[in-house]
Amino acid sequence: AQTVTQSQPEMSVQEAETVTLSCTYDTSESDYYLFWYKQPPSRQMILVIRQEAYKQQNATENRFSVNFQKAAKSFSLKISDSQLGDAAMYFCAYRSANTGNQFYFGTGTSLTVIP
Amino acid sequence: DTGVSQDPRHKITKRGQNVTFRCDPISEHNRLYWYRQTLGQGPEFLTYFQNEAQLEKSRLLSDRFSAERPKGSFSTLEIQRTEQGDSAMYLCASRTTAGRQETQYFGPGTRLLVL
């Protein structure tokens, strides 16, 4: 089974600053999807950003962008101009485009935003 | 609101009792997923449906767990003879397979506590 590793259990950032959350994954496949989900305290998980492995260009969504390094199997999330509302648990997830249908999630990074 | 909904949001039960959770996916979504999330962990895949067919089950899904999606719309997850180890958040997610819509949309979850 594929594994997704988030090596930073907790991170903190000053409001308006930039923070990068790391994620690595293990797969032998070439076609897959990667996601970052955000789970605020006691609230439901929402999609932040996604990346198709066949695309070389890094995905961006407003203040959120990724650094996708396919050869290194790395998929980090950069949050620019951090806001208090960004405080949440962030999960990295992987899904194969070909085999099975499961999403594999990392253990999450808890982000604190300091006013 | 046309998001994924789950009912109940919280459930407290005594060990040995049966519990049933319901998930209503986004209406046009043909795929429905169940996950379990324990404290400090990412969601773990349990099972998924395409329309009314249950296509994949995780080894985590013991024979005490059963899921149905009888008309291809809402789904139920039943846990029989609950154990304290079943205490977790049970998440439902849905997506469409039309186009390359790979994103899963999550419900708010049902938090189960087994005493």
Side-chain angles (χ1 to χ4, degrees):
Chain A
Q2 281 75 9
T3 56
V4 178
T5 302
Q6 293 180 249
S7 58
Q8 306 154 316
E10 297 177 345
M11 291 283 284
S12 61
V13 62
Q14 205 77 30
E15 193 175 5
E17 296 297 309
T18 296
V19 65
T20 299
L21 309 184
S22 66
C23 172
T24 58
Y25 56 94
D26 182 25
T27 185
S28 57
E29 299 180 327
S30 60
D31 195 10
Y32 50 86
Y33 304 90
L34 296 164
F35 306 81
W36 279 98
Y37 279 89
K38 169 185 177 182
Q39 189 175 40
S42 301
R43 294 179 62 186
Q44 68 196 79
M45 195 171 299
I46 58 174
L47 178 71
V48 175
I49 198 166
R50 76 170 205 181
Q51 174 83 39
E52 290 93 339
Y54 66 87
K55 290 186 177 178
Q56 292 186 330
Q57 187 172 7
N58 288 325
T60 62
E61 287 287 342
N62 301 315
R63 297 183 296 106
F64 298 88
S65 61
V66 299
N67 183 6
F68 173 47
Q69 301 289 326
K70 192 171 184 179
K73 298 178 184 175
S74 170
F75 182 61
S76 61
L77 174 69
K78 185 171 83 171
I79 306 174
S80 304
D81 185 26
S82 297
Q83 300 175 359
L84 295 178
D86 294 333
M89 199 74 173
Y90 286 81
F91 291 98
C92 178
Y94 166 101
R95 180 190 173 277
S96 166
N98 301 311
T99 61
N101 197 49
Q102 294 187 32
F103 277 55
Y104 295 90
F105 286 83
T107 51
T109 296
S110 177
L111 179 66
T112 300
V113 180
I114 303 165
Chain B
D1 182 57
T2 57
V4 179
S5 62
Q6 292 186 245
D7 183 69
R9 296 290 306 277
H10 303 273
K11 179 70 177 179
I12 300 174
T13 191
K14 292 182 179 179
R15 188 177 54 184
Q17 297 295 304
N18 298 344
V19 294
T20 300
F21 310 141
R22 176 179 171 126
C23 170
D24 286 87
I26 293 171
S27 59
E28 64 269 24
H29 285 184
N30 55 343
R31 293 242 172 123
L32 185 149
Y33 303 78
W34 285 99
Y35 291 87
R36 181 171 67 190
Q37 185 179 22
T38 53
L39 203 61
Q41 299 296 316
E44 294 175 297
F45 170 81
L46 292 178
T47 188
Y48 91 92
F49 293 83
Q50 170 138 335
N51 300 313
E52 66 276 8
Q54 188 174 16
L55 295 187
E56 193 171 340
K57 292 194 289 186
S58 164
R59 295 174 198 171
L60 293 175
L61 210 65
S62 78
D63 56 7
R64 297 185 297 106
F65 287 69
S66 62
E68 294 181 343
R69 195 183 183 197
K71 297 180 180 179
S73 55
F74 73 91
S75 175
T76 57
L77 177 68
E78 180 183 16
I79 309 174
Q80 296 181 328
R81 306 181 303 280
T82 52
E83 301 174 355
Q84 288 182 326
D86 297 332
S87 296
M89 174 78 87
Y90 289 85
L91 296 169
C92 177
S94 71
R95 76 175 181 99
T96 176
T97 54
R100 285 183 76 96
Q101 298 298 319
E102 299 300 330
T103 301
Q104 289 191 346
Y105 296 87
F106 283 84
T110 295
R111 187 172 294 282
L112 173 67
L113 177 62
V114 181
L115 302 176

